Amino acid sequence: MDSIIFDLDGTLWDPLDVVTEAWNSVLAKHEEQLLSRDDIKGVMGLQHQEIGDKLFPHFSEEKHREVADQFSEVECRRLSNEGGRLYEGVEAVLDKLSEKYDLYIVSNCQEGYIESFYKYHGLDKHFLDFENAGRTGLSKGENIKLVMERNNLSNPVYVGDTTGDQQAAKAAGVPFVYAQYGFGEVDEFDHVISEFEELLALFD
């Protein structure tokens, strides 16, 4: 193994409290029903169109684009200023892992989201590259392949917390480490961790 590629939400941090408040501030302006933390937890890891289809099936295509753009702007601004909740030990574990492995992030988020994570928590020093669906329009599996190709990775693993992450790792042909503490339930995986710090023993 030469590298580790991470999912973001439900793997490195839990941003749900801030994201819920951000989205609801937008929905209130549109006089739409507000969402719960569990509503948003249920769509974490999906691309924006999939989120719209699941949470707002009554929106026109034009309104969905308008609201999604507003979600993105408010969400990234607030996360840049307030951050999310890092899982226990994330910074110390990344520091140790980066001594031995090249680290990357691949997420289904919009442009600016990973940058917001970096800005508030200052963890960009640990990662050599990142990619997201908002920038490329590609699936997560394709974005994993893209990061592998442009960084000449021959033997990475992918760490994530949802079935979508497992399927993306499979599509990219890389082993999958299931972060069981995150947002999803996954039945198929190569390795499983119940807390982030277990990565140190797994990759020792």
Side-chain angles (χ1 to χ4, degrees), residues 135-204:
R135 183 160 68 180
T136 67
L138 300 174
S139 70
K140 183 172 280 188
E142 291 170 320
N143 280 327
I144 292 173
K145 288 182 182 178
L146 188 61
V147 166
M148 291 170 62
E149 289 167 3
R150 71 181 180 220
N151 292 282
N152 298 312
L153 308 183
S154 59
N155 192 25
V157 300
Y158 188 69
V159 183
D161 67 305
T162 66
T163 298
D165 293 332
Q166 182 273 324
Q167 293 170 343
K170 186 175 182 179
V174 301
F176 176 64
V177 180
Y178 171 37
Q180 192 176 41
Y181 54 82
F183 298 147
E185 295 183 5
V186 181
D187 295 326
E188 186 180 341
F189 45 80
D190 296 287
H191 305 281
V192 60
I193 55 172
S194 58
E195 56 185 35
F196 196 78
E197 290 180 332
E198 291 177 14
L199 288 174
L200 292 177
L202 182 62
F203 297 139
D204 186 9

Side-chain angles (χ1 to χ4, degrees), residues 92-143:
V93 171
L94 290 176
D95 192 48
K96 291 180 181 178
L97 289 176
S98 64
E99 294 176 359
K100 190 173 182 181
Y101 303 104
D102 292 340
L103 307 183
Y104 305 88
I105 294 177
V106 172
S107 169
N108 266 343
C109 62
Q110 71 273 28
E111 275 196 274
Y113 189 87
I114 296 173
E115 293 91 329
S116 298
F117 166 75
Y118 283 165
K119 181 178 179 182
Y120 186 84
H121 294 287
L123 296 178
D124 51 307
K125 61 187 176 183
H126 298 298
F127 298 97
L128 300 181
D129 193 7
F130 68 88
E131 197 51 87
N132 57 72
R135 183 160 68 180
T136 67
L138 300 174
S139 70
K140 183 172 280 188
E142 291 170 320
N143 280 327

Side-chain angles (χ1 to χ4, degrees), residues 8-21:
L8 181 49
D9 295 333
T11 301
L12 296 173
W13 73 345
D14 175 351
L16 282 177
D17 289 339
V18 173
V19 171
T20 302
E21 290 179 8

Side-chain angles (χ1 to χ4, degrees), residues 6-145:
F6 291 93
D7 171 52
L8 181 49
D9 295 333
T11 301
L12 296 173
W13 73 345
D14 175 351
L16 282 177
D17 289 339
V18 173
V19 171
T20 302
E21 290 179 8
W23 287 23
N24 281 337
S25 71
V26 172
L27 292 173
K29 292 179 181 178
H30 288 269
E31 299 184 344
E32 292 285 342
Q33 182 175 344
L34 302 187
L35 299 170
S36 69
R37 176 185 164 95
D38 283 342
D39 289 331
I40 296 178
K41 180 180 178 181
V43 297
M44 278 291 179
L46 300 181
Q47 295 195 23
H48 269 268
Q49 187 58 51
E50 296 171 308
I51 292 172
D53 291 343
K54 187 169 183 178
L55 293 181
F56 313 111
H58 58 293
F59 280 9
S60 67
E61 202 170 313
E62 182 180 358
K63 184 169 184 179
H64 170 65
R65 284 197 301 268
E66 177 188 2
V67 171
D69 287 346
Q70 292 173 8
F71 280 168
S72 180
E73 190 275 326
V74 175
E75 179 181 75
C76 288
R77 183 178 70 244
R78 289 201 53 175
L79 288 171
S80 291
N81 294 327
E82 302 170 46
R85 179 176 65 84
L86 291 179
Y87 289 113
E88 186 173 354
V90 161
E91 187 162 10
V93 171
L94 290 176
D95 192 48
K96 291 180 181 178
L97 289 176
S98 64
E99 294 176 359
K100 190 173 182 181
Y101 303 104
D102 292 340
L103 307 183
Y104 305 88
I105 294 177
V106 172
S107 169
N108 266 343
C109 62
Q110 71 273 28
E111 275 196 274
Y113 189 87
I114 296 173
E115 293 91 329
S116 298
F117 166 75
Y118 283 165
K119 181 178 179 182
Y120 186 84
H121 294 287
L123 296 178
D124 51 307
K125 61 187 176 183
H126 298 298
F127 298 97
L128 300 181
D129 193 7
F130 68 88
E131 197 51 87
N132 57 72
R135 183 160 68 180
T136 67
L138 300 174
S139 70
K140 183 172 280 188
E142 291 170 320
N143 280 327
I144 292 173
K145 288 182 182 178

